[in-house]
Amino acid sequence: MARTVFRLFTMSVAVLLLLGLGLQVAEGRRNRCFFNRTQESCVCYNLSEETAGSIIQCLPATTVEFWGGDLEKYAAFPIRDLDDSVIDTLGSLVIQKIIIGNVLVPEMLLARVLRFFSYTHVQELAFESCIFQGTGDWSDMDGQNLPILSLSFHNVTSAPLTGREQAFSSLSRWLETLEELAVTGSGVTSLPCAIGRLFRALRSLSLAHNSLGDGSLTPAFCQGAFPQLQQLSLHHNNLSSYHGVCEGLGLLLELQHLDLSHNELVAGPSSSCQWPPSLRHFNLSNTGLDEVPAPLPPRLEVLDMSHNHLHAVDISLSSMKKLFLNQNLLQAVPSIRNCPVLDTLHLDNNSIWELSRDEVKLLGRLQDVAVAGNPFSCSCSGAGGLQALAATGHLGQGWPGDYRCHSPAQYQGWQVARVPLSVLRCDLAAVVAPLCVALALLAVAGAVCLARSSVCRRA
Ligand SMILES: *[C@@H]1O[C@H](CO)[C@@H](O)[C@H](O)[C@H]1NC(C)=O
Ligand SMILES: *[C@@H]1O[C@H](CO)[C@@H](O)[C@H](O)[C@H]1NC(C)=O
Ligand SMILES: *[C@@H]1O[C@H](CO)[C@@H](O)[C@H](O)[C@H]1NC(C)=O
Ligand SMILES: *[C@@H]1O[C@H](CO)[C@@H](O)[C@H](O)[C@H]1NC(C)=O
Ligand SMILES: *[C@@H]1O[C@H](CO)[C@@H](O)[C@H](O)[C@H]1NC(C)=O
């Protein structure tokens, strides 16, 4: 019993050390941590010396969140080296992810406690709405490795990074093993070249919801920066030139996914700039483009150009598999003959009013087609084409509710699926023609008969 209590006690001390509190745990009077067994997660609010005891319930959690609090007063707290039993305890914790939110973090404190993570199995560390105060001395981290592979900052403020490249190079041993980094919603306008060079193994980088302009890309993605980067998210920034972005990212030779959505881009005339040939997945959704910019990455497989002002699209990329063109101004289905491996085409919310017989045939071969929200003409051929396409079973979930007739007046607002295509309405010609032939034959027969009978009578 005493042993268990002691163990729990040291565990909680250890977890607190992670947080930088490094304090004696007092008996918790009010329960401030909440453990959710089904999610294996634990959330603690306004942790302080007085309530820290309740953190004991978080020990079985794989995710622990700490919300609220001010660590300022602990900035200069003496932090001793850990003894062996605490190190053992840290090693036995199952916590894999720590989220720290709404906390004022003195960078000095962070710099001193970060190395204790080396005794844990924490792989993800996330800071949300935190203020990093002052600058820290990171030399304790020289040559130190950490198990953390994913690091994220959202809506944080800190002293500018520029000019502190040297200080952060103390973190290089760890940073060169980091795989995922996100710094989002934090007003980032630039990233010094030397910082990118530290992240030698980084595969995924998100700088979304910041204020990066075209000019900040070339220095950030300079020679040797982020050499292994495969995924880059730059959505919701201040980028404006398609070619400027292309030029700024030309050195990322491993890049596979690029998200530029929600930037106001101008395509400009085609340029000689070449995208990294490794680029497969390109998101240009919501970028204000009124034409497909050129050049596109040569081996693209997924292109999202939804929510733009495209009037016409002509893409011939033999590797293209998925094309998203919903929410544009297209009046016709784009030519897809030169995209032999295309399996997905989304054309919802455009201005397409009819699919020709050939288009229905072509679209019917795809796995996933969506054409909802277009102003369909429900003539016999219009409604017939769509109903035939629906019969292939490849129309997405919008069918039948989101496919409605715009014309003729008699069917306006109807579901296309409910427009009758009876033989009498649509194939009148088919009924009338044989009827005419029959009548004509009858007439001929009658005439023959008449002629014969007069011949007979005469004979
Ligand atoms: C645990 O989390 C699940 C999923 O979010 C939620 O439905 C459930 O109510 C939570 N349980 C407690 C005790 O809070
Ligand atoms: C961003 O963080 C600040 C504290 O630094 C907080 O006051 C603000 O509410 C946060 N904003 C959002 C949208 O979360
Ligand atoms: C966005 O870029 C333009 C120049 O392209 C600049 O004038 C403007 O200040 C920038 N906005 C922000 C929020 O950085
Ligand atoms: C592209 O980005 C938009 C908005 O940022 C997102 O909703 C969409 O799912 C992305 N497209 C693809 C194909 O990932
Ligand atoms: C089409 O527009 C409707 C109404 O504006 C919207 O609810 C729907 O999400 C849009 N669909 C697509 C795929 O953009």
Side-chain angles (χ1 to χ4, degrees):
M1 183 63 197
R3 232 182 111 88
T4 316
V5 170
F6 173 75
R7 200 168 162 76
L8 286 177
F9 176 77
T10 51
M11 278 186 178
S12 58
V13 174
V15 175
L16 288 174
L17 272 172
L18 296 182
L19 251 189
L21 287 170
L23 300 169
Q24 289 278 333
V25 176
E27 206 42 54
R29 271 189 301 268
R30 265 177 303 159
N31 192 338
R32 297 299 187 103
C33 292
F34 303 91
F35 178 57
N36 186 324
R37 197 167 300 281
T38 48
Q39 293 209 311
E40 293 188 343
S41 72
C42 196
V43 185
C44 298
Y45 299 97
N46 294 317
L47 212 59
S48 70
E49 280 169 86
E50 290 74 36
T51 58
S54 88
I55 202 175
I56 283 178
Q57 349 173 23
C58 294
L59 296 178
T62 52
T63 300
V64 181
E65 302 183 25
F66 299 99
W67 287 90
D70 179 356
L71 300 181
E72 202 178 358
K73 56 187 166 195
Y74 307 118
F77 203 82
I79 294 172
R80 294 176 305 270
D81 275 339
L82 304 182
D83 60 42
D84 289 349
S85 69
V86 176
I87 292 176
D88 282 352
T89 310
L90 285 175
S92 68
L93 291 177
V94 295
I95 300 174
Q96 284 178 9
K97 177 171 184 176
I98 293 184
I99 300 172
I100 298 174
N102 270 325
V103 176
L104 188 86
V105 187
E107 197 181 292
M108 203 196 293
L109 182 62
L110 190 63
R112 284 156 66 215
V113 300
L114 201 58
R115 68 194 156 101
F116 296 132
F117 278 84
S118 64
Y119 304 119
T120 72
H121 303 293
V122 174
Q123 293 191 350
E124 282 186 73
L125 179 60
F127 294 92
E128 286 188 28
S129 301
C130 289
I131 298 174
F132 293 95
Q133 212 179 35
T135 55
D137 170 8
W138 293 94
S139 56
D140 273 1
M141 285 292 293
D142 265 331
Q144 181 75 63
N145 224 330
L146 295 183
I148 299 167
L149 298 175
S150 166
L151 180 62
S152 82
F153 303 88
H154 177 67
N155 181 30
V156 300
T157 46
S158 79
L161 294 182
T162 311
R164 297 206 285 151
E165 292 88 338
Q166 198 53 44
F168 282 111
S169 71
S170 292
L171 292 168
S172 65
R173 182 71 186 278
W174 165 43
L175 296 183
E176 72 188 17
T177 63
L178 204 68
E179 292 177 2
E180 288 177 25
L181 173 68
V183 185
T184 55
S186 300
V188 176
T189 53
S190 67
L191 202 61
C193 167
I195 296 274
R197 287 178 175 158
L198 296 174
F199 293 91
R200 293 223 288 265
L202 202 74
R203 290 208 295 260
S204 166
L205 173 64
S206 175
L207 295 169
H209 290 275
N210 282 302
S211 302
L212 294 168
D214 304 343
S216 44
L217 298 184
T218 305
F221 301 100
C222 63
Q223 186 79 49
F226 306 107
Q228 302 289 325
L229 198 65
Q230 294 177 1
Q231 295 205 19
L232 176 60
S233 248
L234 294 172
H235 62 84
H236 292 93
N237 268 282
N238 194 21
L239 304 172
S240 58
S241 154
Y242 181 79
H243 299 289
V245 175
C246 177
E247 265 148 27
L249 303 182
L251 297 174
L252 295 176
L253 295 177
E254 303 291 325
L255 194 65
Q256 294 178 10
H257 285 234
L258 176 60
D259 186 350
L260 299 178
S261 63
H262 293 274
N263 283 282
E264 226 21 64
L265 297 179
V266 174
S270 181
S271 77
S272 58
C273 173
Q274 294 296 314
W275 292 99
S278 49
L279 201 52
R280 301 274 185 275
H281 196 292
F282 199 9
N283 199 331
L284 290 170
S285 172
N286 259 300
T287 46
L289 291 169
D290 54 13
E291 57 181 318
V292 178
L296 284 173
R299 296 194 205 134
L300 212 49
E301 293 177 4
V302 179
L303 175 61
D304 189 341
M305 287 209 64
S306 59
H307 297 263
N308 280 297
H309 312 300
L310 305 176
H311 289 271
V313 169
D314 187 2
I315 288 175
S316 49
L317 281 178
S318 58
S319 49
M320 186 73 75
K321 292 181 178 161
K322 301 187 193 305
L323 190 50
F324 300 95
L325 296 169
N326 40 299
Q327 208 86 48
N328 274 289
L329 302 167
L330 302 177
Q331 296 186 343
V333 174
S335 152
I336 53 171
R337 267 170 233 287
N338 295 323
C339 304
V341 291
L342 192 73
D343 61 43
T344 299
L345 179 60
H346 286 192
L347 295 166
D348 318 62
N349 295 342
N350 274 281
S351 307
I352 299 168
W353 58 280
E354 191 168 319
L355 305 179
S356 73
R357 192 188 280 255
D358 282 351
E359 287 166 346
V360 168
K361 223 189 216 168
L362 222 53
L363 295 179
R365 285 193 207 128
L366 306 181
Q367 298 291 310
D368 174 8
V369 189
V371 214
N374 280 284
F376 291 114
S377 150
C378 287
S379 61
C380 289
S381 60
L386 271 168
Q387 290 182 12
L389 186 57
T392 64
H394 299 159
L395 274 189
Q397 354 170 300
W399 180 267
D402 298 336
Y403 289 72
R404 292 185 182 269
C405 307
H406 190 70
S407 64
Q410 105 192 76
Y411 292 125
Q412 198 167 18
W414 278 48
Q415 282 185 11
V416 177
R418 297 178 54 204
V419 172
L421 296 175
S422 63
V423 175
L424 259 183
R425 182 169 101 80
C426 291
D427 287 317
L428 210 53
V431 179
V432 168
L435 211 64
C436 290
V437 172
L439 284 175
L441 282 176
L442 265 178
V444 171
V448 168
C449 208
L450 273 178
R452 281 230 180 120
S453 58
S454 59
V455 171
C456 296
R457 246 180 272 135
R458 234 181 282 147

